[in-house]
Every structure is written in C-alpha cells, then in structure tokens.
Amino acid sequence: MVQIKTVGVIGAGQMGTGIAHVCALAGYDVLLHDVSAEKISAGIALIEKNLTRQVSRNIIDHEAAQAAIARIKPADELQTVAATDLAIEAATENEEVKKNIFKALAPHLGPNTLLASNTSSISITRLASVTDRPERFIGLHFMNPVPLMKLVEVIRGIATDAPTYETAVNFARSLGKSTTNAEDFPAFIVNRILVPMINEAIYTLYEGVGTVEAIDNALKLGANHPMGPLELGDFIGLDTVLSIMNVLYEGLADSKYRPCPLLVKYVEAGWLGRKTGRGFYDYRGETPVPTR
C-alpha cells in the first residue's frame, strides 16, 4: 500500500474545501487547486472560517486549527497536484469536466500517485478509463458538509486493485470517517436513495399536493428528518440534484428517475438554492422564505 503524506484536492468549492479541511486536521499536507487564484484564496478563507467556528464550539482547539491551516497550500497550476501521494478531484458534477481534469493530470503524475474522485453519481469505471492507471483509481464520496458528516462511500471501478482499495479505506478512516462500500452503479448508495426522494418532493410541490413549508415540515415532523427534502435540495444545490437525477435516468433507463419539470425550470432560471440566494427558499433576507 502507498503511504499517503500529501493530498491534492482539485476544486475549492464546498466539497473540495471540506475535504481539504479534514485532511489538514488529520495531519496531511494539502495542495488546493481551482481554475483561478481568486477561487483558491476564497476556498482557503472559507476553511479558516470553518476551523474558527469549530474552535468556538470546542470541537477542536486553537492550536489544532492553526496547524491545519498552515498545512494547506495553494496550487495555482494543476500539474503541481500531480506530485502528491493522493489526488482527489472535487469539481462540479459533470462527467466531461471531471474527465478533462484527469486527462490534464495524466502527463504529470508520479508513478505511485493514487487518483480519486468525489463524484456523487458518475461511473468510477468511466472516469478511470481516461487515465493511465485505472487500477489505482477509486471513488471517495464524502458527504456534505464534510467536517461534520461521518460517512465516506468507497467505490471501486472494474479495474481498481486491492491495494488501492485498502489504502483508500485506511485513508478515509484516518480522517475519523466511517466507510461503506458501494458498487459502481449510478449514484451509488446514498444518492440512489436520497436524491430521488428530493425529486419526488419536488413533484409533490409541482402537482400541488403541498406547499414548500408543508412538504418540509411533513418530513421533519413525520419522518424525523433533520432537514426537509426541499430545504436539503437547496443545501446540496439544485443543479447537482438535477445532474444526479439525469445520471440515474440515463444510466438505469427507468422512468421513475425522470427529473421533475419544476426542478429543470429552477435550474434553468439559475435558482440553485443557497449558493445563489434563491431556490425553493429565498435566502436573501434575514430568514429563508418559501418561494412557492
């Protein structure tokens, strides 16, 4: 098994910064890359903010937070990430975007570098096929928000070898995470179950069965969910929800996975949830307000 000391994270958004955060806290040296220096700087600032929040809640101490942020370095050039022991892609949930990242990395990779994708739905086998090392490629699907959620889904592609799998599981557990094994089917386990539920909640709204507030309260109070499904969709990002539903619909060829037309309309309008200030709730005021 490869001994992992350095981790490269590609993507400084919500998931990438979360992964960098937990890796640095666990003692790994981290290189964080995105398409611009501004995005990398914003990502590192977000990590600092979240570490400070953990200190204020007595989850970690000040020294641990300072040591963690010192371990995270910006990587302006993608090829810099290729020199790490483990490179984790955490870009947008789009197959072509992810494949292009791995293609660009390939000429610069060291012989022992392991590759991982944080994809929440896309075939690990297909992503691995564009690299020179499909046997050293694996899916590590972290849950959002990464610092709080305990689970990592580990997904082997058809070519993933046993040492890569064992290294990946040990790495995830070194971050304080629990792992579950998922086969390489569309959306794996968590999102195969969770995202169709969100889509069905949107259908329930679309068909007039209930309002946003009624649907979310029904699941929070009737099923003991911490967040309602529409609120959760906004938190994940409605563009991501739509991408996952499309992967399920196309990959499994079953009409039960057809994305709700209202979900499509919201994404076309740019109403993607919390990150854009508007989705099934309007987040631009002091408190979120249902939009329907």
Side-chain angles (χ1 to χ4, degrees), residues 114-143:
L114 299 182
L115 296 175
S117 175
N118 183 58
T119 179
S120 55
S121 64
I122 298 165
S123 166
I124 297 302
T125 298
R126 288 204 305 271
L127 293 178
S129 71
V130 303
T131 76
D132 64 345
R133 59 195 68 203
E135 72 284 353
R136 300 172 71 78
F137 192 109
I138 199 158
L140 287 175
H141 176 212
F142 290 80
M143 304 295 123

PDB file of all heavy atoms in Angstrom, residues 114-143:
ATOM      1  N   LEU A 114      -1.994   7.962  -6.357  1.00  0.00           N
ATOM      2  CA  LEU A 114      -3.341   7.409  -6.436  1.00  0.00           C
ATOM      3  C   LEU A 114      -4.307   8.508  -6.853  1.00  0.00           C
ATOM      4  O   LEU A 114      -4.135   9.673  -6.483  1.00  0.00           O
ATOM      5  CB  LEU A 114      -3.776   6.845  -5.082  1.00  0.00           C
ATOM      6  CG  LEU A 114      -2.947   5.704  -4.495  1.00  0.00           C
ATOM      7  CD1 LEU A 114      -3.556   5.249  -3.177  1.00  0.00           C
ATOM      8  CD2 LEU A 114      -2.843   4.545  -5.461  1.00  0.00           C
ATOM      9  N   LEU A 115      -5.322   8.124  -7.616  1.00  0.00           N
ATOM     10  CA  LEU A 115      -6.338   9.073  -8.057  1.00  0.00           C
ATOM     11  C   LEU A 115      -7.685   8.715  -7.450  1.00  0.00           C
ATOM     12  O   LEU A 115      -8.038   7.538  -7.355  1.00  0.00           O
ATOM     13  CB  LEU A 115      -6.458   9.063  -9.582  1.00  0.00           C
ATOM     14  CG  LEU A 115      -5.233   9.514 -10.378  1.00  0.00           C
ATOM     15  CD1 LEU A 115      -5.474   9.340 -11.873  1.00  0.00           C
ATOM     16  CD2 LEU A 115      -4.870  10.962 -10.056  1.00  0.00           C
ATOM     17  N   ALA A 116      -8.430   9.733  -7.061  1.00  0.00           N
ATOM     18  CA  ALA A 116      -9.771   9.521  -6.511  1.00  0.00           C
ATOM     19  C   ALA A 116     -10.702  10.608  -7.023  1.00  0.00           C
ATOM     20  O   ALA A 116     -10.281  11.730  -7.307  1.00  0.00           O
ATOM     21  CB  ALA A 116      -9.742   9.545  -4.977  1.00  0.00           C
ATOM     22  N   SER A 117     -11.969  10.247  -7.134  1.00  0.00           N
ATOM     23  CA  SER A 117     -12.993  11.226  -7.470  1.00  0.00           C
ATOM     24  C   SER A 117     -14.006  11.286  -6.341  1.00  0.00           C
ATOM     25  O   SER A 117     -14.391  10.250  -5.778  1.00  0.00           O
ATOM     26  CB  SER A 117     -13.701  10.857  -8.772  1.00  0.00           C
ATOM     27  OG  SER A 117     -14.768  11.770  -9.025  1.00  0.00           O
ATOM     28  N   ASN A 118     -14.446  12.487  -6.030  1.00  0.00           N
ATOM     29  CA  ASN A 118     -15.501  12.686  -5.045  1.00  0.00           C
ATOM     30  C   ASN A 118     -16.880  12.687  -5.704  1.00  0.00           C
ATOM     31  O   ASN A 118     -17.858  13.115  -5.108  1.00  0.00           O
ATOM     32  CB  ASN A 118     -15.274  14.011  -4.300  1.00  0.00           C
ATOM     33  CG  ASN A 118     -16.308  14.254  -3.212  1.00  0.00           C
ATOM     34  OD1 ASN A 118     -16.463  13.450  -2.314  1.00  0.00           O
ATOM     35  ND2 ASN A 118     -17.041  15.363  -3.311  1.00  0.00           N
ATOM     36  N   THR A 119     -16.971  12.199  -6.930  1.00  0.00           N
ATOM     37  CA  THR A 119     -18.266  12.175  -7.601  1.00  0.00           C
ATOM     38  C   THR A 119     -19.336  11.519  -6.735  1.00  0.00           C
ATOM     39  O   THR A 119     -19.064  10.552  -6.017  1.00  0.00           O
ATOM     40  CB  THR A 119     -18.188  11.436  -8.951  1.00  0.00           C
ATOM     41  OG1 THR A 119     -19.480  11.419  -9.546  1.00  0.00           O
ATOM     42  CG2 THR A 119     -17.695  10.005  -8.790  1.00  0.00           C
ATOM     43  N   SER A 120     -20.543  12.064  -6.819  1.00  0.00           N
ATOM     44  CA  SER A 120     -21.654  11.526  -6.043  1.00  0.00           C
ATOM     45  C   SER A 120     -22.567  10.653  -6.886  1.00  0.00           C
ATOM     46  O   SER A 120     -23.570  10.151  -6.395  1.00  0.00           O
ATOM     47  CB  SER A 120     -22.464  12.678  -5.435  1.00  0.00           C
ATOM     48  OG  SER A 120     -22.889  13.577  -6.436  1.00  0.00           O
ATOM     49  N   SER A 121     -22.220  10.451  -8.179  1.00  0.00           N
ATOM     50  CA  SER A 121     -23.137   9.677  -9.016  1.00  0.00           C
ATOM     51  C   SER A 121     -22.506   9.051 -10.249  1.00  0.00           C
ATOM     52  O   SER A 121     -23.046   8.092 -10.797  1.00  0.00           O
ATOM     53  CB  SER A 121     -24.298  10.578  -9.472  1.00  0.00           C
ATOM     54  OG  SER A 121     -23.837  11.642 -10.303  1.00  0.00           O
ATOM     55  N   ILE A 122     -21.376   9.566 -10.730  1.00  0.00           N
ATOM     56  CA  ILE A 122     -20.839   9.192 -12.046  1.00  0.00           C
ATOM     57  C   ILE A 122     -19.967   7.938 -11.947  1.00  0.00           C
ATOM     58  O   ILE A 122     -19.251   7.734 -10.967  1.00  0.00           O
ATOM     59  CB  ILE A 122     -20.046  10.365 -12.639  1.00  0.00           C
ATOM     60  CG1 ILE A 122     -20.968  11.572 -12.844  1.00  0.00           C
ATOM     61  CG2 ILE A 122     -19.391   9.992 -13.954  1.00  0.00           C
ATOM     62  CD1 ILE A 122     -20.243  12.883 -13.093  1.00  0.00           C
ATOM     63  N   SER A 123     -20.011   7.113 -12.982  1.00  0.00           N
ATOM     64  CA  SER A 123     -19.278   5.853 -13.013  1.00  0.00           C
ATOM     65  C   SER A 123     -17.785   6.042 -12.764  1.00  0.00           C
ATOM     66  O   SER A 123     -17.100   6.776 -13.489  1.00  0.00           O
ATOM     67  CB  SER A 123     -19.480   5.179 -14.374  1.00  0.00           C
ATOM     68  OG  SER A 123     -18.556   4.130 -14.555  1.00  0.00           O
ATOM     69  N   ILE A 124     -17.264   5.351 -11.761  1.00  0.00           N
ATOM     70  CA  ILE A 124     -15.834   5.360 -11.474  1.00  0.00           C
ATOM     71  C   ILE A 124     -15.072   4.669 -12.605  1.00  0.00           C
ATOM     72  O   ILE A 124     -13.982   5.098 -13.000  1.00  0.00           O
ATOM     73  CB  ILE A 124     -15.557   4.666 -10.122  1.00  0.00           C
ATOM     74  CG1 ILE A 124     -16.237   5.443  -8.982  1.00  0.00           C
ATOM     75  CG2 ILE A 124     -14.056   4.540  -9.872  1.00  0.00           C
ATOM     76  CD1 ILE A 124     -15.817   6.893  -8.864  1.00  0.00           C
ATOM     77  N   THR A 125     -15.643   3.619 -13.151  1.00  0.00           N
ATOM     78  CA  THR A 125     -15.008   2.900 -14.258  1.00  0.00           C
ATOM     79  C   THR A 125     -14.802   3.809 -15.462  1.00  0.00           C
ATOM     80  O   THR A 125     -13.736   3.811 -16.086  1.00  0.00           O
ATOM     81  CB  THR A 125     -15.853   1.679 -14.645  1.00  0.00           C
ATOM     82  OG1 THR A 125     -15.921   0.789 -13.521  1.00  0.00           O
ATOM     83  CG2 THR A 125     -15.272   0.961 -15.849  1.00  0.00           C
ATOM     84  N   ARG A 126     -15.817   4.618 -15.788  1.00  0.00           N
ATOM     85  CA  ARG A 126     -15.682   5.514 -16.949  1.00  0.00           C
ATOM     86  C   ARG A 126     -14.663   6.611 -16.674  1.00  0.00           C
ATOM     87  O   ARG A 126     -13.881   6.973 -17.569  1.00  0.00           O
ATOM     88  CB  ARG A 126     -17.036   6.137 -17.307  1.00  0.00           C
ATOM     89  CG  ARG A 126     -18.012   5.178 -17.944  1.00  0.00           C
ATOM     90  CD  ARG A 126     -19.062   5.907 -18.794  1.00  0.00           C
ATOM     91  NE  ARG A 126     -19.775   6.936 -18.059  1.00  0.00           N
ATOM     92  CZ  ARG A 126     -20.887   6.722 -17.355  1.00  0.00           C
ATOM     93  NH1 ARG A 126     -21.397   5.509 -17.271  1.00  0.00           N
ATOM     94  NH2 ARG A 126     -21.491   7.714 -16.733  1.00  0.00           N
ATOM     95  N   LEU A 127     -14.673   7.180 -15.485  1.00  0.00           N
ATOM     96  CA  LEU A 127     -13.689   8.218 -15.164  1.00  0.00           C
ATOM     97  C   LEU A 127     -12.274   7.646 -15.196  1.00  0.00           C
ATOM     98  O   LEU A 127     -11.349   8.278 -15.712  1.00  0.00           O
ATOM     99  CB  LEU A 127     -13.993   8.820 -13.788  1.00  0.00           C
ATOM    100  CG  LEU A 127     -15.283   9.623 -13.650  1.00  0.00           C
ATOM    101  CD1 LEU A 127     -15.460  10.101 -12.210  1.00  0.00           C
ATOM    102  CD2 LEU A 127     -15.315  10.818 -14.595  1.00  0.00           C
ATOM    103  N   ALA A 128     -12.107   6.446 -14.649  1.00  0.00           N
ATOM    104  CA  ALA A 128     -10.777   5.828 -14.606  1.00  0.00           C
ATOM    105  C   ALA A 128     -10.256   5.505 -15.997  1.00  0.00           C
ATOM    106  O   ALA A 128      -9.038   5.474 -16.220  1.00  0.00           O
ATOM    107  CB  ALA A 128     -10.823   4.564 -13.759  1.00  0.00           C
ATOM    108  N   SER A 129     -11.161   5.283 -16.953  1.00  0.00           N
ATOM    109  CA  SER A 129     -10.754   4.845 -18.289  1.00  0.00           C
ATOM    110  C   SER A 129      -9.951   5.890 -19.046  1.00  0.00           C
ATOM    111  O   SER A 129      -9.246   5.551 -20.013  1.00  0.00           O
ATOM    112  CB  SER A 129     -11.988   4.448 -19.112  1.00  0.00           C
ATOM    113  OG  SER A 129     -12.750   5.597 -19.469  1.00  0.00           O
ATOM    114  N   VAL A 130     -10.031   7.165 -18.643  1.00  0.00           N
ATOM    115  CA  VAL A 130      -9.287   8.209 -19.361  1.00  0.00           C
ATOM    116  C   VAL A 130      -7.906   8.433 -18.750  1.00  0.00           C
ATOM    117  O   VAL A 130      -7.158   9.298 -19.202  1.00  0.00           O
ATOM    118  CB  VAL A 130     -10.073   9.544 -19.393  1.00  0.00           C
ATOM    119  CG1 VAL A 130     -11.441   9.355 -20.023  1.00  0.00           C
ATOM    120  CG2 VAL A 130     -10.200  10.163 -17.997  1.00  0.00           C
ATOM    121  N   THR A 131      -7.566   7.670 -17.708  1.00  0.00           N
ATOM    122  CA  THR A 131      -6.273   7.816 -17.055  1.00  0.00           C
ATOM    123  C   THR A 131      -5.332   6.705 -17.499  1.00  0.00           C
ATOM    124  O   THR A 131      -5.726   5.760 -18.181  1.00  0.00           O
ATOM    125  CB  THR A 131      -6.416   7.755 -15.524  1.00  0.00           C
ATOM    126  OG1 THR A 131      -6.630   6.387 -15.122  1.00  0.00           O
ATOM    127  CG2 THR A 131      -7.576   8.608 -15.045  1.00  0.00           C
ATOM    128  N   ASP A 132      -4.079   6.805 -17.063  1.00  0.00           N
ATOM    129  CA  ASP A 132      -3.096   5.763 -17.367  1.00  0.00           C
ATOM    130  C   ASP A 132      -2.997   4.743 -16.243  1.00  0.00           C
ATOM    131  O   ASP A 132      -2.132   3.880 -16.257  1.00  0.00           O
ATOM    132  CB  ASP A 132      -1.713   6.389 -17.609  1.00  0.00           C
ATOM    133  CG  ASP A 132      -1.172   7.077 -16.358  1.00  0.00           C
ATOM    134  OD1 ASP A 132      -1.957   7.316 -15.411  1.00  0.00           O
ATOM    135  OD2 ASP A 132       0.045   7.373 -16.322  1.00  0.00           O
ATOM    136  N   ARG A 133      -3.894   4.862 -15.244  1.00  0.00           N
ATOM    137  CA  ARG A 133      -3.804   3.987 -14.077  1.00  0.00           C
ATOM    138  C   ARG A 133      -5.181   3.633 -13.504  1.00  0.00           C
ATOM    139  O   ARG A 133      -5.458   3.920 -12.323  1.00  0.00           O
ATOM    140  CB  ARG A 133      -2.930   4.643 -13.005  1.00  0.00           C
ATOM    141  CG  ARG A 133      -3.424   6.007 -12.526  1.00  0.00           C
ATOM    142  CD  ARG A 133      -2.359   6.770 -11.756  1.00  0.00           C
ATOM    143  NE  ARG A 133      -1.294   7.145 -12.650  1.00  0.00           N
ATOM    144  CZ  ARG A 133      -0.038   7.428 -12.251  1.00  0.00           C
ATOM    145  NH1 ARG A 133       0.263   7.422 -10.986  1.00  0.00           N
ATOM    146  NH2 ARG A 133       0.884   7.743 -13.130  1.00  0.00           N
ATOM    147  N   PRO A 134      -6.046   3.004 -14.289  1.00  0.00           N
ATOM    148  CA  PRO A 134      -7.372   2.664 -13.769  1.00  0.00           C
ATOM    149  C   PRO A 134      -7.330   1.749 -12.553  1.00  0.00           C
ATOM    150  O   PRO A 134      -8.256   1.764 -11.732  1.00  0.00           O
ATOM    151  CB  PRO A 134      -8.056   1.982 -14.963  1.00  0.00           C
ATOM    152  CG  PRO A 134      -6.950   1.570 -15.868  1.00  0.00           C
ATOM    153  CD  PRO A 134      -5.872   2.584 -15.690  1.00  0.00           C
ATOM    154  N   GLU A 135      -6.243   0.973 -12.426  1.00  0.00           N
ATOM    155  CA  GLU A 135      -6.127   0.092 -11.254  1.00  0.00           C
ATOM    156  C   GLU A 135      -5.842   0.884  -9.977  1.00  0.00           C
ATOM    157  O   GLU A 135      -6.062   0.398  -8.861  1.00  0.00           O
ATOM    158  CB  GLU A 135      -5.030  -0.959 -11.492  1.00  0.00           C
ATOM    159  CG  GLU A 135      -3.608  -0.442 -11.463  1.00  0.00           C
ATOM    160  CD  GLU A 135      -3.200   0.331 -12.728  1.00  0.00           C
ATOM    161  OE1 GLU A 135      -3.985   0.352 -13.706  1.00  0.00           O
ATOM    162  OE2 GLU A 135      -2.100   0.911 -12.738  1.00  0.00           O
ATOM    163  N   ARG A 136      -5.368   2.121 -10.137  1.00  0.00           N
ATOM    164  CA  ARG A 136      -5.030   2.971  -8.983  1.00  0.00           C
ATOM    165  C   ARG A 136      -6.008   4.153  -8.883  1.00  0.00           C
ATOM    166  O   ARG A 136      -5.645   5.227  -8.429  1.00  0.00           O
ATOM    167  CB  ARG A 136      -3.591   3.470  -9.107  1.00  0.00           C
ATOM    168  CG  ARG A 136      -2.571   2.343  -9.165  1.00  0.00           C
ATOM    169  CD  ARG A 136      -1.174   2.858  -9.490  1.00  0.00           C
ATOM    170  NE  ARG A 136      -0.599   3.599  -8.383  1.00  0.00           N
ATOM    171  CZ  ARG A 136      -0.060   3.035  -7.312  1.00  0.00           C
ATOM    172  NH1 ARG A 136      -0.033   1.734  -7.195  1.00  0.00           N
ATOM    173  NH2 ARG A 136       0.455   3.772  -6.352  1.00  0.00           N
ATOM    174  N   PHE A 137      -7.222   3.902  -9.293  1.00  0.00           N
ATOM    175  CA  PHE A 137      -8.274   4.928  -9.316  1.00  0.00           C
ATOM    176  C   PHE A 137      -9.448   4.416  -8.484  1.00  0.00           C
ATOM    177  O   PHE A 137      -9.850   3.262  -8.610  1.00  0.00           O
ATOM    178  CB  PHE A 137      -8.720   5.169 -10.759  1.00  0.00           C
ATOM    179  CG  PHE A 137      -9.580   6.391 -10.955  1.00  0.00           C
ATOM    180  CD1 PHE A 137      -9.079   7.502 -11.605  1.00  0.00           C
ATOM    181  CD2 PHE A 137     -10.892   6.428 -10.494  1.00  0.00           C
ATOM    182  CE1 PHE A 137      -9.868   8.632 -11.806  1.00  0.00           C
ATOM    183  CE2 PHE A 137     -11.685   7.545 -10.688  1.00  0.00           C
ATOM    184  CZ  PHE A 137     -11.173   8.654 -11.347  1.00  0.00           C
ATOM    185  N   ILE A 138     -10.044   5.306  -7.664  1.00  0.00           N
ATOM    186  CA  ILE A 138     -11.133   4.886  -6.788  1.00  0.00           C
ATOM    187  C   ILE A 138     -12.093   6.049  -6.533  1.00  0.00           C
ATOM    188  O   ILE A 138     -11.718   7.224  -6.701  1.00  0.00           O
ATOM    189  CB  ILE A 138     -10.573   4.339  -5.450  1.00  0.00           C
ATOM    190  CG1 ILE A 138     -11.619   3.485  -4.723  1.00  0.00           C
ATOM    191  CG2 ILE A 138     -10.019   5.474  -4.568  1.00  0.00           C
ATOM    192  CD1 ILE A 138     -11.028   2.526  -3.728  1.00  0.00           C
ATOM    193  N   GLY A 139     -13.301   5.733  -6.155  1.00  0.00           N
ATOM    194  CA  GLY A 139     -14.263   6.752  -5.757  1.00  0.00           C
ATOM    195  C   GLY A 139     -14.249   6.935  -4.253  1.00  0.00           C
ATOM    196  O   GLY A 139     -14.340   5.958  -3.501  1.00  0.00           O
ATOM    197  N   LEU A 140     -14.102   8.176  -3.804  1.00  0.00           N
ATOM    198  CA  LEU A 140     -14.213   8.540  -2.386  1.00  0.00           C
ATOM    199  C   LEU A 140     -15.288   9.607  -2.291  1.00  0.00           C
ATOM    200  O   LEU A 140     -15.015  10.798  -2.497  1.00  0.00           O
ATOM    201  CB  LEU A 140     -12.881   9.062  -1.851  1.00  0.00           C
ATOM    202  CG  LEU A 140     -11.770   8.035  -1.626  1.00  0.00           C
ATOM    203  CD1 LEU A 140     -10.473   8.735  -1.222  1.00  0.00           C
ATOM    204  CD2 LEU A 140     -12.172   7.023  -0.565  1.00  0.00           C
ATOM    205  N   HIS A 141     -16.513   9.182  -2.028  1.00  0.00           N
ATOM    206  CA  HIS A 141     -17.632  10.121  -1.987  1.00  0.00           C
ATOM    207  C   HIS A 141     -17.849  10.585  -0.551  1.00  0.00           C
ATOM    208  O   HIS A 141     -18.443   9.881   0.267  1.00  0.00           O
ATOM    209  CB  HIS A 141     -18.902   9.464  -2.541  1.00  0.00           C
ATOM    210  CG  HIS A 141     -20.103  10.336  -2.453  1.00  0.00           C
ATOM    211  ND1 HIS A 141     -21.377   9.853  -2.263  1.00  0.00           N
ATOM    212  CD2 HIS A 141     -20.228  11.703  -2.515  1.00  0.00           C
ATOM    213  CE1 HIS A 141     -22.230  10.848  -2.217  1.00  0.00           C
ATOM    214  NE2 HIS A 141     -21.553  11.982  -2.362  1.00  0.00           N
ATOM    215  N   PHE A 142     -17.332  11.788  -0.249  1.00  0.00           N
ATOM    216  CA  PHE A 142     -17.545  12.414   1.051  1.00  0.00           C
ATOM    217  C   PHE A 142     -18.946  13.016   1.093  1.00  0.00           C
ATOM    218  O   PHE A 142     -19.488  13.440   0.079  1.00  0.00           O
ATOM    219  CB  PHE A 142     -16.519  13.526   1.285  1.00  0.00           C
ATOM    220  CG  PHE A 142     -15.115  13.046   1.499  1.00  0.00           C
ATOM    221  CD1 PHE A 142     -14.306  12.682   0.423  1.00  0.00           C
ATOM    222  CD2 PHE A 142     -14.583  12.970   2.774  1.00  0.00           C
ATOM    223  CE1 PHE A 142     -13.011  12.240   0.603  1.00  0.00           C
ATOM    224  CE2 PHE A 142     -13.279  12.540   2.973  1.00  0.00           C
ATOM    225  CZ  PHE A 142     -12.496  12.169   1.892  1.00  0.00           C
ATOM    226  N   MET A 143     -19.515  13.067   2.279  1.00  0.00           N
ATOM    227  CA  MET A 143     -20.836  13.655   2.456  1.00  0.00           C
ATOM    228  C   MET A 143     -20.693  15.132   2.826  1.00  0.00           C
ATOM    229  O   MET A 143     -19.678  15.553   3.381  1.00  0.00           O
ATOM    230  CB  MET A 143     -21.622  12.930   3.556  1.00  0.00           C
ATOM    231  CG  MET A 143     -21.771  11.430   3.330  1.00  0.00           C
ATOM    232  SD  MET A 143     -22.752  10.994   1.878  1.00  0.00           S
ATOM    233  CE  MET A 143     -21.564   9.991   0.971  1.00  0.00           C
TER     234      MET A 143
END
